[in-house]
Amino acid sequence: MSAPPSCIHPVSVADLAEARAQGVPDRGSQQVLEAERAYVDAWRTRRGLPPTEQLSPSALCISGGGIRSASFAAGVLQALAAADLLKTFDYLSTVSGGGYIASSLTWLLHDSGRTSVGTASAAACGTACGLGPDDFPYGTENPSARDDAPDRHRDGAAQFRRLSYLKTHGAYLTPGNGIGLASLVAVLLRGAFLSLLAAIPLTATAFAGVILLSTTLTQHPTEGFAFIWKLGLGVMGFLIVSALLYAVGSVLDRPLAETKSKYAFRRRYDTYAGSLLTVAAALGAISFIPNVHVHVGTGALAGGLAAAGLVFVHASRKMSRRFLRTLAQTGSLLILYAVLVLSFHLATWSVDILNTPSGILRWVPVGLLLVSLLCGRLVNINIISMHRYYRDRLMETFLPDDASELDDATGASPRANTARLSSILSASSPTGPYHILNTNLNLVGARSRVRRIRGGDSFILTPLYCGSNETGWRRTDEFLRNGLTLATAMAVSGAAVEPDAGVAGRGPARDPSVAALMTLLNLTLGFWIPHPLKEQRRLAFPNHFNPGFRSFLASAYDGRRTYLELGDGGHFENLGLYEMIRRRVRLVVVSDAGADPEYRFNDLLNAMQRVQADFGTKILFTTGGAPVNLHALFDVDGAHHPSCGHVIGTIAYPDRSTGAIVLVKASMINDVDDALLTYKHDHPAFPHESTMQQWFDETDIDAYRRLGYEITRRMIDAVGVNNF
């Protein structure tokens, strides 16, 4: 395989030594693995299979990729169930969009997902849901089969109804029935407004303090800002003088007479010079604010919003990433500066009001400050951000109530809304593979350089334990005071929009200015949690002051903090492979529907690099002893039409034991039916349409489902049922 692409961060030997010294990759996870093994053995006993001591576990992984991945994986699951292979897996490891459909399956297999009162719900549920060809919740009928095929009409009414509901509700963010695009925009504006309501009055109060102090001392309201300018000049002057002294020292120094103290001095200079330059630039920008007219500030705000809009519109197109990154940085800086300008003019207005002899208006600035303090301290940012809206819409689509399925209309899902993750699976009554929902623990401010480069650590949400190497693990029935639901875990695993985070640790949100703007406007799907091993107080919750505005600083994203932010598992590893390699599986089947139109296999390369670095495990794709060029295998003559959509590799563990990996890749294979050919003609990017497209209709979902089914069916024929 070719060298890793530029999106994969290289990690040096020194970095790995540092990471291992700090506990990577396996700090205290043995208890977690033993608890999981007890469940897996119980699940195996039910299936008549030997325990894990005799036969290592197998796993099914479903990648991230939003509704695209969920739709493709629906077909993968159907094909595996049709061959009666789905029940052979011990683990179900999902990331982001893969967690949508997998959580739906886990929910339907769980008793409370099928049990309601009344004949209507019984009609909706039909027979008990299972993993076999006859009781799989979404049916197993081959969508490409002829009308006279023996399994063409095998699915029951309840299975057909569930699948129909899934296909007609792919536009889950704006599902209708009273919730549409206006609702989405309103929630975005609500989060931004409440965040600005907490931030702007406080900033204005600080500016007002500078103005009042200046007026008291010098009778010139802007003298304080002139002092800030002078302070910035002083910092620059210090840098200039230090540079001159450094130059003089270089003349007097004997080049070969190196000492420990000289090296220490140079290192201190290199460390502080950049910080001082940043401080000087910030002071200069702040000191200039009184000279910026409010209309100019409004114009800067409009320009910044326009730049942000261009980035959003063109992010999925083939434009220069450097250009888009520059545009995002420029837009963010313009908006941030506009907010400071508007805060200053609010401060001048407040000072004028306070200087009036009398009148009720004098209390307005005080009231604004009081509202700011109350909003900053008493508002739960997990509730008012986009996270809760996203979570509710996913729940209503993938964990629907029986009445919604019967009416084929989005409605409330009261049972799923309160179903605790800790109660979904039990070793006393196992119902399916052990489900691990993978998330990313944001660690851009961690001490470990490896963590900072990667942007985080793998943080799992499971029915038994939640946690990571960085933080340790806690029992799920104790984590968040047993308040974590399956719906919330599904949404957290798919929280793709988050400050200081990006796929495989890279992306525009990692830029400090972009991250600061996202924090200021509360533009995040991320979810703040208390540290798993610290006391979880009943009345404590994440607010705008802590950890909200504190996260303007990267140091807030540290595994030792009281509050930690979880986001999309794809920001760490998008295939769900990492945790399965930790568990030393003998066989793993991966449904890979990440956006990869050029078949560069970035997600696979990232996973391969991280499991080798952390676990000493290699994943190899070879033929005749030579590495397989996966890009050439799938991108046949540049036509993007491979003969098959899967590839088989070897997992080489450090103790010389081996396992097998079967990668099922979303790809436009040859010899598909007319329905897929027609869809491909109308959608040239299929099956790698942008992940930003989260509004699928019935035709979209069915096309990806049909493709996932057909590729998996051919994979099963090639591998052989007895090899699973």
Side-chain angles (χ1 to χ4, degrees), residues 328-395:
Q329 293 170 341
T330 302
S332 299
L333 289 172
L334 284 173
I335 295 174
L336 290 170
Y337 198 68
V339 169
L340 290 176
V341 171
L342 296 177
S343 298
F344 170 78
H345 286 284
L346 176 61
T348 58
W349 175 82
S350 299
V351 170
D352 291 341
I353 292 296
L354 290 172
N355 286 331
T356 57
S358 61
I360 195 171
L361 284 178
R362 296 188 63 185
W363 293 99
V364 172
V366 178
L368 281 175
L369 178 59
L370 181 61
V371 169
S372 174
L373 293 172
L374 291 175
C375 184
R377 178 62 183 86
L378 300 180
V379 170
N380 188 326
I381 56 177
N382 280 339
I383 303 298
I384 59 99
S385 72
M386 274 295 298
H387 162 78
R388 186 50 61 101
Y389 178 93
Y390 176 62
R391 177 255 193 200
D392 289 348
R393 301 294 81 78
L394 283 175
M395 177 181 68

Side-chain angles (χ1 to χ4, degrees), residues 381-597:
I381 56 177
N382 280 339
I383 303 298
I384 59 99
S385 72
M386 274 295 298
H387 162 78
R388 186 50 61 101
Y389 178 93
Y390 176 62
R391 177 255 193 200
D392 289 348
R393 301 294 81 78
L394 283 175
M395 177 181 68
E396 292 160 2
T397 298
F398 292 95
L399 314 177
D401 196 67
D402 302 331
S404 298
E405 285 187 355
L406 284 169
D407 297 338
D408 195 26
T410 301
S413 299
R415 294 202 314 276
N417 185 54
T418 57
R420 300 292 185 259
L421 181 62
S422 60
S423 66
I424 293 298
L425 295 177
S426 170
S428 62
S429 181
T431 55
Y434 188 75
H435 193 175
I436 295 179
L437 294 109
N438 296 275
T439 75
N440 177 64
L441 171 63
N442 195 323
L443 292 174
V444 296
R447 287 184 174 183
S448 165
R449 185 171 182 269
V450 172
R451 302 290 196 219
R452 293 197 306 273
I453 290 175
R454 292 177 173 181
D457 187 23
S458 172
F459 192 105
I460 59 171
L461 303 175
T462 80
L464 292 176
Y465 280 90
C466 298
S468 69
N469 270 320
E470 180 74 15
T471 61
W473 287 264
R474 189 166 187 140
R475 287 173 54 97
T476 305
D477 56 8
E478 298 174 352
F479 181 61
L480 291 174
R481 305 183 68 86
N482 198 24
L484 181 64
T485 64
L486 175 63
T488 297
M490 170 178 60
V492 173
S493 179
V497 180
E498 181 191 2
D500 280 308
V503 177
R506 300 194 73 175
R510 287 294 303 267
D511 180 80
S513 60
V514 177
L517 178 63
M518 294 174 69
T519 299
L520 177 65
L521 300 181
N522 203 14
L523 295 177
T524 180
L525 295 173
F527 187 73
W528 290 96
I529 62 166
H531 193 290
L533 301 188
K534 294 184 178 180
E535 181 184 1
Q536 301 184 15
R537 295 176 293 172
R538 183 181 298 274
L539 298 179
F541 56 83
N543 55 61
H544 283 113
F545 295 153
N546 182 29
F549 298 148
R550 178 177 290 181
S551 61
F552 279 123
L553 303 175
S555 58
Y557 296 108
D558 188 305
R560 300 165 297 167
R561 297 289 182 179
T562 301
Y563 286 106
L564 310 169
E565 189 172 29
L566 301 182
D568 196 308
H571 293 162
F572 181 80
E573 191 269 295
N574 200 43
L575 298 181
L577 262 175
Y578 185 86
E579 291 296 335
M580 295 303 96
I581 299 302
R582 187 201 297 274
R583 287 154 180 79
R584 302 177 68 82
V585 296
R586 62 174 174 83
L587 169 67
V588 57
V589 175
V590 181
S591 170
D592 179 6
D596 188 14

Side-chain angles (χ1 to χ4, degrees), residues 622-633:
T622 61
T623 178
V628 173
N629 187 327
L630 294 181
H631 172 70
L633 183 65

Side-chain angles (χ1 to χ4, degrees), residues 16-27:
L16 296 178
E18 175 196 1
R20 292 192 176 103
Q22 296 188 13
V24 177
D26 193 14
R27 189 179 67 191

